[in-house]
Amino acid sequence: MNIPEIVKILTDAGIEENEANIEVKLLIEHFAGYGIADIIMGKKLTEENLKIVEAKARLRAKTRQPIQYIIGHAHFMGEKFIVNENVLIPRDETEILVRKAVEIIEKYGFKSVLDMCTGSGIIACMIAKLTASTVIGSDISTEAIEVAFKNMENLGLFNRALFRKSDLFSKIREDEKFDMIVSNPPYIPYSQKSTIQKEVTFEPDIALYTRDSDGLEFYKRIISEAPVYLNNGGFLMFELGINESIIVAELMKEHGFVSIQVVKDLANIDRVILGRLN
């Protein structure tokens, strides 16, 4: 067995060739400790290492388990984050949310941020890393909070990114005021679960699906309560599901948010929405 043959295991399973090459590279780096410097030096993989990588590639091909769960981490905004089946795998689109949040925080000199539905803590950690603000990440899942805490530790963000188990605002005190609330909440109606690609089915239902038919459950709950916890002039920001921007914008206006702005992703899809509390 050689590397091209291992790549073929993935392509034969329907994984696009370029993606298969990237995934095999990740498997080699993780399970064989073999990187770019080794390639330059002409170092060869041992037969034992090739067998390990082959086994993991066959697991990926057979089950379609995401490569990030197989190796136990994912890259986001240049950092490596621990991930497992208790948290979502970071998406590139979420970087739009983080960068817009950082831009606003720096513009207004904000110091306190609440990241709701924090999951692995990628949003909270990157905002804390890139700004002078302190970020509290909250999530209903104990297992997700444990992952977020480990990611905070790995990035050395002690006392900058803090995590708390909370069902939305249930464990947030009313006297805790924030300059910004940011969230990438669940926004897929549970009725659509049967149509989701195989890889996504490995991710936690609690972080993906809503109980309503339109995917707006968490937007409604967060928007209605957010004004209690925001300082005057504070911002509320969300990552959006497809075709949700118009309704979410109306909900925000109904609860006192002004200067509503929508940011599109590279596919020209409305991906982030933000507004300021009047």
Side-chain angles (χ1 to χ4, degrees):
M1 182 66 63
N2 56 36
I3 292 174
E5 289 172 333
I6 294 174
V7 171
K8 191 172 185 300
I9 291 171
L10 297 183
T11 56
D12 285 350
I15 297 169
E16 190 271 327
E17 185 174 0
N18 184 56
E19 186 64 27
N21 277 294
I22 292 171
E23 292 190 0
V24 170
K25 176 178 177 289
L26 290 171
L27 290 173
I28 290 170
E29 288 177 347
H30 184 75
F31 291 104
Y34 185 96
I36 296 297
D38 298 301
I39 295 173
I40 295 172
M41 297 298 292
K43 181 180 176 182
K44 301 296 184 182
L45 285 174
T46 66
E47 192 66 29
E48 181 181 358
N49 282 335
L50 277 172
K51 287 181 179 178
I52 293 171
V53 173
E54 177 191 352
K56 298 301 181 181
R58 292 192 184 281
L59 173 65
R60 166 78 170 114
K62 180 180 180 179
T63 66
R64 299 306 290 261
Q65 183 180 20
I67 196 71
Q68 293 90 343
Y69 288 156
I70 292 173
I71 63 177
H73 68 257
H75 292 276
F76 181 72
M77 296 184 69
E79 300 291 347
K80 186 164 76 173
F81 287 89
I82 296 168
V83 293
N84 59 33
E85 292 182 13
N86 296 306
V87 298
L88 294 182
I89 296 166
R91 268 68 169 181
D92 291 341
E93 293 84 359
T94 303
E95 183 172 339
I96 301 170
L97 178 67
V98 173
R99 294 208 178 277
K100 191 64 181 179
V102 169
E103 175 189 320
I104 292 170
I105 290 166
E106 291 182 338
K107 179 179 179 179
Y108 293 98
F110 287 163
K111 298 299 183 184
S112 57
V113 178
L114 174 62
D115 172 28
M116 190 149 283
C117 309
T118 195
S120 63
I122 62 164
I123 294 173
C125 286
M126 290 311 302
I127 290 176
K129 180 178 175 62
L130 297 173
T131 72
S133 59
T134 299
V135 188
I136 292 177
S138 69
D139 202 287
I140 194 173
S141 166
T142 300
E143 294 79 10
I145 291 294
E146 290 172 353
V147 173
F149 189 83
K150 290 176 184 176
N151 283 321
M152 176 276 293
E153 286 185 311
N154 289 345
L155 288 173
L157 295 170
F158 299 94
N159 300 319
R160 297 285 316 290
L162 312 169
F163 296 98
R164 184 183 305 175
K165 182 177 179 180
S166 179
D167 180 4
L168 298 187
F169 293 100
S170 66
K171 300 299 182 182
I172 309 298
R173 303 190 311 272
E174 289 190 11
D175 64 339
E176 290 183 284
K177 300 291 186 179
F178 300 92
D179 297 317
M180 175 182 287
I181 297 174
V182 61
S183 182
N184 179 18
Y187 52 68
I188 304 173
Y190 195 82
S191 60
Q192 295 181 15
K193 183 177 180 179
S194 62
T195 67
I196 296 296
Q197 70 181 86
K198 179 66 174 178
E199 281 83 353
V200 178
T201 64
F202 286 87
E203 300 187 78
D205 285 3
I206 195 172
L208 288 170
Y209 302 108
T210 66
R211 293 168 296 185
D212 60 356
S213 61
D214 52 14
L216 297 171
E217 174 189 359
F218 288 90
Y219 295 113
K220 291 176 179 177
R221 292 175 63 189
I222 294 170
I223 291 168
S224 66
E225 294 189 61
V228 174
Y229 301 91
L230 278 171
N231 289 320
N232 291 335
F235 278 78
L236 176 62
M237 299 182 63
F238 292 107
E239 183 169 325
L240 291 166
I242 295 175
N243 298 323
E244 293 177 331
S245 61
I246 294 175
I247 299 175
V248 173
E250 287 303 315
L251 289 169
M252 292 176 72
K253 290 175 184 176
E254 289 173 10
H255 288 86
F257 291 92
V258 298
S259 303
I260 307 294
Q261 179 183 352
V262 174
V263 183
K264 295 181 179 293
D265 63 17
L266 293 177
N268 204 38
I269 295 170
D270 292 349
R271 186 56 63 187
V272 169
I273 191 167
L274 59 141
R276 194 171 193 183
L277 186 63
N278 192 8

